[in-house]
Amino acid sequence: ALIRALPKVWRSDAVLRQRLPNPPSDLQRTPLGAAETIGMEPTGTIEGLKSSGLSRFYRVNDIGIVEFNEKNFRVPGGVIEAFVEAQNTDINGTPGQIEMEVDGQGRSRATLVWAGKDKVYTLTATGDGDVERKAIVLQQIAAAVRD
């Protein structure tokens, strides 16, 4: 049901560069570079064909579905608010927050959030299996994201 609900659209880097305030993050050196791309959709502030963010969805073996969301906060009026107490991990020297959830059916979700120079990033892995493994893979992806 999750896969059926995901967007199936895929846009080229050239199109995304026209529609986003900053080029999309380079994910080729991350575990997502070799993963199956399912689709993508604009996020954040949307005006016509332009948006302040982008979500890309991937199928990652032994993890499930991974969503990589990047939102440009250096757009007019953009602000980041974070509670120091909620920061519980580190991504390349930047504080971040990781959350893990498991339900009674064995499904799990790990979410990792951190801020870069111009963007706020959110990685979410959803599927069956070990939530701690999902968290480790998300941290590996985050450590290799390049802008």
Side-chain angles (χ1 to χ4, degrees), residues 19-87:
R19 293 182 177 190
L20 296 166
N22 293 320
S25 297
D26 180 0
L27 304 178
Q28 289 307 306
R29 291 178 292 257
T30 75
L32 297 179
E36 174 192 353
T37 303
I38 296 171
M40 56 185 66
E41 66 182 355
T43 61
T45 304
I46 299 174
E47 294 179 17
L49 293 177
K50 296 191 177 232
S51 66
S52 64
L54 174 68
S55 276
R56 292 179 265 179
F57 300 88
Y58 301 87
R59 185 187 324 261
V60 179
N61 291 339
D62 302 324
I63 299 299
I65 303 301
V66 175
E67 176 185 1
F68 177 79
N69 180 272
E70 53 189 305
K71 289 184 187 165
N72 291 275
F73 64 84
R74 296 240 183 232
V75 294
V79 180
I80 294 179
E81 293 184 13
F83 296 98
V84 173
E85 298 83 7
Q87 308 304 301

Side-chain angles (χ1 to χ4, degrees), residues 102-145:
V102 180
D103 71 9
Q105 317 270 305
R107 296 174 295 218
S108 60
R109 177 174 49 216
T111 303
L112 176 62
V113 180
W114 77 103
K117 180 181 164 199
D118 295 314
K119 300 176 184 178
V120 173
Y121 306 95
T122 305
L123 273 164
T124 304
T126 306
D128 294 333
D130 185 0
V131 73
E132 291 189 23
R133 170 85 177 114
K134 286 177 179 51
I136 289 167
V137 171
L138 293 184
Q139 288 175 316
Q140 291 170 346
I141 294 167
V145 170

